[in-house]
Structure formats: structure tokens, C-alpha cells
Amino acid sequence: MLNKALLKKDLKPSTMILLILTVLFVIQYPLRTILELEHLRLLESDVSHVFSSRLDSFVQDIFAGNALSLLSVIVIVVMGGMFIGLERNTRRHNFSLSLPFSRQKLFVTKASIGLGAITVIMGVNCLVAYVIIGFSEYRDALVNFSFMEMFLVPLLAYLAIFAFTLLMGTISGEMISQVVLSFIFLIFPFGFATLLTAFLTGHFGNLGTLTTHFDEWITIFVLPFHVMVDFGSFPEIPTGMQLAVSLPIIVISLVIGIKLYEKGKSERNGEFLLFTPLKPVFLVGIVGCFAMLGGMIFSVFGDPAGATIPFYWLGAIVIGGLALLITKRLLQMNVTMKNN
């Protein structure tokens, strides 16, 4: 049972970000539906041959994955940062710990507000868009609507992104590091696969059939792609595979998040990471990835001269060295702000 006082405490600073998220979903679903319906009416009267193809993809354009969803992903990650990271920046975390509630209850309250708000806001706006189409002269187009692919998959992806951002908040000491780490690890499977492919291709040549449909499959493990990419264009991927990724991430993020939130040391608030043993792991990981990125970029310049490998390692040393210097400073930083 959630405590009303805790709900009010966490809702107050997050009101603005929830309002922004509401506006984005209104634009993405109801408002876009109204505009698309007007566009269809114009096409039907003036350009009939374009109208037919437009009508066929009308519902998919509204409800399936599209680039507009990227803004919602960004806002949801920032919202997760405000729930945990901003508290650590402003020392309000210490005030929360002084209240007569367990850390588990504090974390569950924040998670409940975020998960509940995302579900309600997206659900209501999708329903409004669906009803608008249902009452229009193009209601027959709703036969193309798929509840699982066009509502359940993106909803669970948004919830998983928020839960994962909270998990990142339990290991990071402030809001900026929480948001940055969340974005990095949300796209990590695709980014690391790209860097690894560039390394192997640069050193061993074309991998041939080994990489066939690899890009399509790796997108399954990147949550933002679940709401931005139309997986209907990937026939090799079974329908609903995204659910097999989102659901475990939600559960695992919340369970581990609660445990880490209980163990986090408040005296390290403001630092990049709360847990000291993680610093060498992140140092090696960040520097290694940036070195591979530098190698991938520099190898392009060496390709015309047939010196791909030397240029790859030159880029790896230069960019990796810079990343080492910057990461060491990041891991030592302490960001705190005055709590007004």
C-alpha cells in the first residue's frame, strides 16, 4: 500500500515533466490522427491514386513505431533522472531517508508513479486516437490495428525504459550521470555490435553470411527501437519478440533496483557512481568502447591507402587516450546543487 505523503512528495517535483509527456502523447496520437484524417480527405478528393496507398498505411503510421516516439523516450529517461538523480544532486535524498519509511517503500513509490503515469497517459491518448478513427468515415482502416504490436509492445517498451532508468539511478550518484548512463546502456547492444563488426571487418575482411540479418535481430535488444522502428518490415523476427525483452527488463530492473537502492551510500551522492568497485569496470568499458569508436572512424581515412589496420589503431590510441583522461575526471566529480 502506497503512502499518500510519499506520493505527494514525489509527484510535486515531477508535475512539469509529466505534463510535457502528456503533451507529447497528445501530439503523437490524437492530434496527429486529426491531421492525418484531414490529409486523407484532401487526397480522396484531389489525388485518388495516392489516397488508396495512404489509407492502407494510415493506422500503422499513427500507432506503429515512428521517429516521433524518440522525444517521449528522452522525456521518460529525464523523468527517471528527476525521481532519483535530482534528489541526490539537491540533497533531498537525505531528507527522504530521514522520513519514517523504508528505502524499499521510497523506491516502490517512485516506480509506481512513473509506471502508472506512463500507462495512463499513453493508454488514454491511444484510446482517444482509436475512437476518433472509429467515428470517422475511414473507420474500416482500423482492421489494420494490432493491439499487441501497436499498443502493448510500445507501452511495455516505455515502461521498461523507465524501470531501467531507475536502475541506473541506483548506481549513479547524480542526475546527469544517471541520464547519460541510461542512454548509453539503452543503445549499448546496437552500438557495441556496430563497433565489434567494424573491428572484425577491418582486421579480417568481410564477414559474409555471418552478419546476415544481424542488424535486424540486434534491434530487438534495444528498447528505444521498440517504439521507433516498424518491426513489421522485418519478417525474419517473430511477432511479439519485443515482449520477451521488455517484460524481463521491467522485472529485473525493479527487483535489482530495490536491492541497490537499499544499499546505496548517501554520503557518495553527487559522485558519478555510488559504488566504488564499479569504477574500474566502467573505466575499462568506457575507454574500450571509445577506443573502438576512434578506430572505426580513423580506419575510414586509411582505407584508400590500404592502411586500414594502422589507422584503426592510431584512432584507437588517440580517442581512447582522450576518453581515459575525461573518464578519470568524470569518476572523480561531485555535482551538488542548492536545494531551494
Side-chain angles (χ1 to χ4, degrees):
M1 187 70 180
L2 298 177
N3 185 277
K4 289 183 180 178
L6 284 181
L7 286 172
K8 289 181 180 177
K9 179 184 78 66
D10 286 319
L11 268 175
K12 187 177 178 181
S14 58
T15 302
M16 182 57 69
I17 199 76
L18 289 176
L19 181 61
I20 294 173
L21 185 64
T22 303
V23 171
L24 286 177
F25 276 116
V26 169
I27 294 172
Q28 188 174 340
Y29 290 107
L31 182 59
R32 190 157 174 244
T33 300
I34 294 171
L35 295 175
E36 286 291 332
L37 286 172
E38 288 300 318
H39 189 209
L40 279 175
R41 292 180 182 114
L42 289 174
L43 288 176
E44 187 176 19
S45 58
D46 297 335
V47 196
S48 57
H49 64 283
V50 178
F51 166 76
S52 299
S53 61
R54 190 70 180 172
L55 182 62
D56 290 339
S57 61
F58 167 54
V59 171
Q60 286 90 337
D61 290 344
I62 298 294
F63 294 102
N66 57 69
L68 284 176
S69 306
L70 176 61
L71 294 176
S72 300
V73 170
I74 294 172
V75 170
I76 287 173
V77 171
V78 173
M79 181 170 67
M82 293 186 70
F83 274 121
I84 294 184
L86 189 60
E87 265 201 359
R88 298 191 193 280
N89 281 116
T90 58
R91 302 298 189 190
R92 280 193 288 110
H93 183 68
N94 295 334
F95 168 73
S96 298
L97 296 184
S98 68
L99 298 174
F101 302 105
S102 66
R103 289 196 180 196
Q104 179 181 358
K105 199 154 196 171
L106 294 175
F107 185 89
V108 170
T109 301
K110 299 175 190 301
S112 300
I113 293 174
L115 297 175
I118 293 169
T119 303
V120 171
I121 293 171
M122 181 179 170
V124 169
N125 282 289
C126 277
L127 178 62
V128 171
Y130 188 93
V131 170
I132 291 173
I133 299 173
F135 279 95
S136 75
E137 62 272 40
Y138 306 115
R139 66 181 67 85
D140 292 343
L142 285 174
V143 71
N144 296 320
F145 179 80
S146 167
F147 176 78
M148 185 175 74
E149 292 180 25
M150 299 182 185
F151 177 74
L152 198 56
V153 166
L155 173 62
L156 290 179
Y158 284 129
L159 297 179
I161 289 169
F162 177 73
F164 184 77
T165 304
L166 289 187
L167 173 62
M168 289 295 102
T170 61
I171 65 171
S172 51
E174 49 87 38
M175 183 177 175
I176 296 174
S177 59
Q178 180 186 355
V179 171
V180 169
L181 289 177
S182 298
F183 280 121
I184 289 175
F185 283 105
L186 282 172
I187 62 171
F188 182 78
F190 186 80
F192 186 73
T194 302
L195 295 175
L196 186 60
T197 301
F199 172 82
L200 294 175
T201 304
H203 289 75
F204 305 107
N206 196 324
L207 301 178
T209 56
L210 191 62
T211 58
T212 303
H213 302 308
F214 182 72
D215 289 346
E216 287 88 344
W217 278 100
I218 204 69
T219 56
I220 288 291
F221 300 97
V222 183
L223 289 171
F225 287 170
H226 291 196
V227 296
M228 295 170 58
V229 175
D230 182 9
F231 281 87
S233 59
F234 299 148
E236 301 81 11
I237 300 175
T239 303
M241 270 295 293
Q242 301 95 315
L243 301 182
V245 174
S246 294
L247 282 172
I249 289 179
I250 294 173
V251 175
I252 292 171
S253 296
L254 294 179
V255 172
I256 297 179
I258 290 173
K259 298 297 180 186
L260 292 178
Y261 194 74
E262 291 174 335
K263 296 180 181 299
K265 296 180 178 178
S266 57
E267 60 265 29
R268 295 192 182 280
N269 286 348
E271 297 183 10
F272 190 82
L273 292 171
L274 284 181
F275 300 95
T276 306
L278 290 178
K279 289 185 176 180
V281 178
F282 275 76
L283 180 64
V284 172
I286 293 173
V287 172
C289 288
F290 271 96
M292 294 174 75
L293 177 63
M296 184 177 74
I297 295 172
F298 274 56
S299 63
V300 175
F301 301 108
D303 189 46
T308 302
I309 296 178
F311 269 83
Y312 183 95
W313 285 102
L314 175 63
I317 292 171
V318 172
I319 303 300
L322 290 174
L324 177 63
L325 295 175
I326 295 172
T327 306
K328 279 186 174 180
R329 296 293 298 271
L330 279 177
L331 294 176
Q332 294 172 354
M333 75 175 188
N334 192 316
V335 181
T336 56
M337 296 180 289
K338 185 178 179 181
N339 188 12
N340 294 316

